Amino acid sequence: MAVTTETQRLDAHKLRADFPVFEELINGRPVAFLDSAASAQKPRQVLDRMREFYEHEYANVHRGVYKLAERATAGYELARETAAAFVNAPSPRELIFTRSATEGLNLVAYAWGLDNLGPGDVVVASELDHHSNFVPWQYVAKRTGAEFRVIPTDAQGELHLDVLDEIDRAGNVKIVANNLVSNSLGTINPAEQLSAWAHERGAIMVVDAAQAAPHRAIDVQALGCDFLAFSSHKLCGPSGIGALWGKRELLEQMSPFNLGGHMIRQVTVEETTWGQLPYKFEAGTMPIAEAVGFAAAIDYVNGIGLDAIERHEHELVAYALDRLGDIPGLIGYGPPADRRAGIVSFNLEGIHPHDVSQILDMDNVAIRGGHHCTQPLMRRLGVAATNRASFYLYTIPDEIDRLVEGLHKVRKVLG
Amino acid sequence: MAVTTETQRLDAHKLRADFPVFEELINGRPVAFLDSAASAQKPRQVLDRMREFYEHEYANVHRGVYKLAERATAGYELARETAAAFVNAPSPRELIFTRSATEGLNLVAYAWGLDNLGPGDVVVASELDHHSNFVPWQYVAKRTGAEFRVIPTDAQGELHLDVLDEIDRAGNVKIVANNLVSNSLGTINPAEQLSAWAHERGAIMVVDAAQAAPHRAIDVQALGCDFLAFSSHKLCGPSGIGALWGKRELLEQMSPFNLGGHMIRQVTVEETTWGQLPYKFEAGTMPIAEAVGFAAAIDYVNGIGLDAIERHEHELVAYALDRLGDIPGLIGYGPPADRRAGIVSFNLEGIHPHDVSQILDMDNVAIRGGHHCTQPLMRRLGVAATNRASFYLYTIPDEIDRLVEGLHKVRKVLG
Amino acid sequence: MSEFDQMYREVILDHYKNPRGHGLLEGADAEAEGQNPLCGDEVSIYVAFGEDGETIDEVKFSGRGCAISQAATSMLTELVQGRTATEVAGLSRDELLDEIGIPLTPVRLKCALLGLSTLKLALHKAKGTSLPQEWAGMADDLDLK
Amino acid sequence: MSEFDQMYREVILDHYKNPRGHGLLEGADAEAEGQNPLCGDEVSIYVAFGEDGETIDEVKFSGRGCAISQAATSMLTELVQGRTATEVAGLSRDELLDEIGIPLTPVRLKCALLGLSTLKLALHKAKGTSLPQEWAGMADDLDLK
Ligand SMILES: Cc1ncc(COP(=O)(O)O)c(C=O)c1O
Ligand SMILES: Cc1ncc(COP(=O)(O)O)c(C=O)c1O
C-alpha cells in the first residue's frame, strides 16, 4: 500500500473568521487586504494571548522572584524556545529577540562588522535585497574601509551568480548577505548555495528571512547560514519584535550591540564583562508582551502548517498571474510562479502606482505602490515604483478578482 | 480674593479599578505590587486602545495609500505628537521612537559618540546611573580612545558635584550623562545644573529620564539638556517602545544608528542618503501598535496629572520611611523623603534580599531584591544587593502596611 | 457624490491628461526642482517675469508622477499666471487646495503641494529670501532644490 | 501545608542557620568557586579525598547568599560525604533536589544548584575531565571557576 504524503490544505475562508479586521465592511465588503508582505493582520488568538499576559502575567522579567515576575519570565523564555524551534535553531540560547528583522541585521553589521572588517575585505549583498539588508552592510563597509559589492539581478529579478567570481577577486570576502525571499518580486533565492560559497572563503552568511519566515518552513541548519533574521509582524504577530538567530561560537566571540541593563555580568568603573547568551545581546527592558504575542503567532501559523501556507500562496500566485495576464498594458515583474513566493509586482503602462492603489482603495482593495524599500532593484527594472499585491494564509481568490476588476477600472479612468 | 493653587489629589483606590491585574486574588487579596520602578502595570484604557488599533487600524505605516495604512500612519504620528508634547519638545520631528530608554541612550552613544569622541576627550556618567546609562558611555569611550569618568555619590546616594573640577582637568568633556531620578534610591538629580556645566564646556548633556518621566512633569527646554530618553513600560504603557528626544541641530548633524527601510532618502550601490527627521533614526518596521499604546498611556497619566502623581508618591514614601523605621535591623538607603521619588531601598541585617522577597511573595507582596542594574552604586553602599519597594499612581498605604507586616515575618523566620 | 468621483473628478483628470503649462522654459528668471521621496514624484518649475521683474509672465513645469501631483501643478500654473511674485510667494496652501477641491489624506497632500512648494522655492531663490517657517517643514519632507 | 511552610521548612532553616561543613580546607585535593550573577550568591567548595584518591573524605564550603543556596550547599556536604568522586561527578540533580524537598521556581533552582554545580566542577577539574553537557548549560548561567 502506497503512502501518499499530500500537503495539508488550509481553508482560508474559515481562517478569516480569526481576523477581526475583516469584520469591518465598507459598502458591504471587507477589505481585500493584499499587502501582507508589508505587514500581516493579527488573529484573535494572538491578541487574546497578549491581553491575558498583560492582565495576569506582566512584570519586568528576570531577577524578580515574586509570582508576576516569574510568570512573565516563564512566558518570555517560552517564547524564545518557540521562536528558536520555529527556525530549527540548535539551542534557544542562540535566539536573540530584537525589535525587528532590521535590527537583527544591524546587530550583526555593528557587532560583528565593526570588529572584523577592514581595508581589503569585501562585504556582499544583492540588488534584490531590501534596504534593511543592504544599507547596514554598505554603511559598515564604509566605516571600516571594506569594499561593498552587489550581486546584480537579471530582468526577471533572479540573481546573476556568475558575478561571484569577479567579486571573489575584489578582496577577502567576509560577509555575504542575502534575502531568502524578495519582498518586491517574491523571488526565492539560493541561500544554501550562497552559504556554501561564503564558507569556502571563510566568510559568514547572513540570511534575511523577513519575507520567507511567514511563508515557508525555515531550517537554519539546513540552510547552513551563520545568522538569520526575521520579524513577528509579518507572520501575524505584534509589531515591535523580531528575532535573530546566530551560531553560538560567533555570538560568543562577538562584542555586544546595545549596552545596558541585563546584558552584563559585572560592571565596574574600570571595566564591564558581558552576560551569557542570549542576554549579552538583550540590553534593557525587552518587548516582553510582544515576545509572548510573537510566540502565539508562531503557534497559530504552526497550527495551520507552513507547508499548507506555502501551497495556498502558490495557488494564489498562479491564479493571480493568470488573471492579471488579461489586463491590457500590464507589465509584470519577477520570476515564474514556481520560483516565487506569494507576491506579484506589476505596472500599468503610463499610470503611476499611487493612482492605482488610490483608485483600488476606493473599492476597499488594499495593495502597495512604491519602491518597496528596494531602490537598487527598481533602478535595475528601470522604474521608479511598482504595484505589489501580496498574499497570506487568509487571502482568498475573490480578493484577487476584486483586484483585477479594480485594475480594469483604473485603466478606464486614467488610461 | 486669593487664588489657591493646591495640587489636585488622585484617588488611588478608584484608579485601581482600571488595572485588571488587581482582580486576581490569592488568599483573598490582590497583589501588593511594589515593583513599579521595574515596570508599571497597565490600565484597561491602554489595552483597549491597542486592541482597537490592531482590529481596525493596523497596517504597516508610511507610503501605503489605502485606508488601513492611512489610519495606522495617523495613529503612529499622533503618538509621536503626544510623546513630544509630554516632554515639551519644541517639535515632534525631534521625537524618535526607540525600543526603550536603553536603546535611546545607545543611539546617542553610537551615532553621536563614534563620530565625535577621540583620545583626550572625556565622557562623564555617575555612580548613581543605571547600567543602561553607564555601560554605553564606558563602551563608546573605550572604542574611541576617550576617557570615562564617573561622578561618585555620598553615603546617602547623592552626587558629589565637587568632583566636577577634577573631571574637568582630565580632558575635553564631550558628554555628560545622568539620570534624573535614580531607580535604586529615588534620588532626584540636578540635571539643570549638570546641563549648564556641560554646556559651559561645549559638551552635550544626555538625560536618562526612564525613572523620572512616569512620576513628574518633564520639560526638556527647562532642563536645558540635549537628549532625553524614556520608556513606555514604566508609565503604564506597553513594553517594546520608548522615546528619545534630541535637539534638532544635533540630530541633523549626526550619523544614523540603525539602517534600513524608511530611514533613507536615496539608495544606490555607491551611496545612501538619509531621510528627514525623525525617520532618519527609525529604520525598518517600528513598534507601531506599541507607539499607539504608549500615547494612550501618556493620555491616561496626563488625565490624572503628573503633579498629583508626584504628590501621591511623595506621601507614600514619607509613610513608608516612617513605618519601616520601626523594624529592628532595617538599614535604609537614599536621601530624605523630600529629595526623592517614590522608591525605598533597604536591607534587613544578615538576611539576603532574595529571601526577603521570596517570603514576602508568599503573602503576595511583590518587591524587588537585587542590584537594580546599578552595581557601581551597590559597591559604593558596600552591599551586593538591596530590597526595593517602589510606588505608582495605583499604590495604596495598605500595600505598605502589608510590606511592613511581611518584613516582621521575614525577621521572625530568618532573623 | 461617491468618494471616487470626489478624488478623481473630471477637472483633475482633465488637468492630468492635458496638463497646462507643461514644458521647459529656457533662460527662466526663477526655477527650482522638487521631489517627493516617498513616492518618487518629480517636478521642475520655471518662471519668467514681466518687464517689471515682478509679474509672473509665464510659468511652466516638467516632471512625472501621480495624477494628483501632476494635475495640481497644472492647476497651479493657471492660478498664478499674471500675479506678482510677492503675492505668490505668500500664497496660502488653502487657495490651491480649494482649487483642487478634493479630500486629501496626509500622504496625498504632499503630492498635491509638491508643485506649489517647488514654485515657492523658485521665487524665494530668485528674490534671495528663504522659505517661511510654515513651508520649511514641507520642504523637509519634499526634496527641494 | 502552606506554600510558606514548604519553602522555608524546618530542615532548610536549620541548615541555613547551622550550616554543616562550613569552613575552609587547607590543601584541598579539589576545589572550585561558583557565583550566581543574577543574585550575587557565592560559594567555594573544598574536597579532600581519602587514601584511595577517590573517596570523598571531607568536604567544606564557604560563601554567602540566600537561605536556599546556603542550605542546599550545606545539605550537599552531608549527601556526598563518603561517596566516591566518580559517583558524585555523576550525581543527578534530582537526588539533591529530593533531599531539599521544596518547590523551586527557575530563578531559585539556580540558587539551589549552585553548590552542586561548583562541586561537580571541582571534581572534574581534579580528574582533568570536563563537565558533561547537561551541566554545561548550568555553568553558563552560573559563574564557575
Ligand atoms: C534610571 C533608569 N535608567 C534606565 C533604565 C532602562 O530602561 P529600559 O529598561 O526601559 O530601557 C531604567 C529601567 O530600569 C531605569 O530605571
Ligand atoms: C525582505 C525583507 N527584508 C527585511 C525587511 C525588514 O523587516 P522589518 O521592517 O520587520 O525590520 C522586510 C520588510 O519589509 C523585508 O521584506
Side-chain angles (χ1 to χ4, degrees), chain B residues 387-398:
Chain B
N387 302 289
R388 182 187 70 183
S390 54
F391 315 132
Y392 205 18
L393 52 91
Y394 41 66
T395 308
I396 49 177
D398 175 59

Side-chain angles (χ1 to χ4, degrees), chain A residues 39-374:
Chain A
S39 200
Q41 295 298 332
K42 319 303 174 200
R44 219 177 296 285
Q45 288 85 337
V46 168
L47 303 179
D48 287 349
R49 178 67 189 105
M50 288 178 77
R51 178 114 198 184
E52 176 187 57
F53 181 80
Y54 272 129
E55 296 193 345
H56 298 289
E57 303 162 47
Y58 184 79
N60 213 327
V61 297
H62 306 310
R63 294 165 205 258
V65 301
Y66 55 84
K67 275 182 275 296
L68 286 173
E70 248 169 47
R71 290 179 197 165
T73 305
Y76 184 68
E77 293 303 330
L78 179 62
R80 189 191 306 284
E81 286 170 30
T82 304
F86 185 63
V87 295
N88 196 30
S91 158
R93 277 187 195 273
E94 300 176 345
L95 195 293
I96 295 152
F97 283 123
T98 59
R99 173 173 52 233
S100 60
T102 299
E103 200 203 17
L105 298 164
N106 277 273
L107 190 163
V108 182
Y110 273 94
W112 197 90
L114 284 182
D115 287 339
N116 290 286
L117 293 175
D121 292 335
V122 179
V123 180
V124 185
S126 90
E127 230 171 39
L128 208 50
D129 278 294
H130 189 280
H131 293 159
S132 291
N133 195 35
F134 188 101
V135 187
W137 309 118
Q138 184 184 41
Y139 187 77
V140 75
K142 209 160 264 185
R143 255 205 192 278
T144 57
E147 217 177 303
F148 177 62
R149 287 302 190 98
V150 171
I151 306 172
T153 56
D154 63 22
Q156 288 209 320
E158 295 194 275
L159 298 180
H160 268 310
L161 293 186
D162 43 354
V163 183
L164 288 177
D165 284 344
E166 191 217 308
I167 290 177
D168 197 21
R169 286 191 296 273
N172 302 317
V173 179
K174 284 286 187 73
I175 299 178
V176 180
N178 200 239
N179 58 17
L180 196 48
V181 169
S182 149
N183 65 305
S184 287
L185 302 179
T187 320
I188 299 165
N189 292 308
E192 292 94 334
Q193 201 179 331
L194 284 168
S195 283
W197 186 83
H199 289 157
E200 278 162 25
R201 277 146 196 86
I204 61 165
M205 176 74 199
V206 183
V207 172
D208 167 8
Q211 205 59 242
H215 307 290
R216 43 192 11 236
I218 303 272
D219 180 339
V220 293
Q221 301 184 55
L223 288 171
C225 56
D226 299 288
F227 294 97
L228 181 137
F230 59 114
S231 284
S232 154
H233 70 95
K234 292 192 201 273
L235 51 72
C236 296
S239 52
I241 189 153
L244 174 74
W245 167 82
K247 266 197 195 136
R248 186 174 182 138
E249 311 84 73
L250 290 169
L251 292 173
E252 275 174 353
Q253 289 156 18
M254 274 155 71
S255 294
F257 178 39
N258 281 306
L259 306 127
H262 303 300
M263 53 70 71
I264 58 90
R265 178 150 293 231
Q266 195 144 44
V267 177
T268 69
V269 173
E270 294 73 33
E271 203 191 19
T272 292
T273 52
W274 317 127
Q276 284 304 324
L277 292 180
Y279 309 112
K280 175 178 166 186
F281 293 101
E282 296 186 351
T285 301
M286 292 294 291
I288 305 169
E290 289 71 23
V292 170
F294 188 5
I298 290 174
D299 289 343
Y300 180 79
V301 162
N302 279 339
I304 295 164
L306 279 152
D307 290 346
I309 293 172
E310 194 179 350
R311 175 179 178 171
H312 174 69
E313 290 183 23
H314 188 76
E315 290 169 357
L316 290 169
V317 165
Y319 180 67
L321 289 182
D322 184 45
R323 293 239 32 209
L324 291 174
D326 295 343
I327 298 174
L330 185 140
I331 306 152
Y333 309 100
D338 61 323
R339 290 208 298 283
R340 73 157 98 187
I343 289 171
V344 296
S345 225
F346 59 90
N347 268 314
L348 289 184
E349 217 170 343
I351 304 181
H352 193 284
H354 264 197
D355 293 315
V356 175
S357 39
Q358 186 87 56
I359 294 177
L360 289 171
D361 178 58
M362 291 171 183
D363 290 321
N364 212 11
V365 173
I367 70 165
R368 187 149 295 233
H371 55 62
H372 318 298
C373 299
T374 52

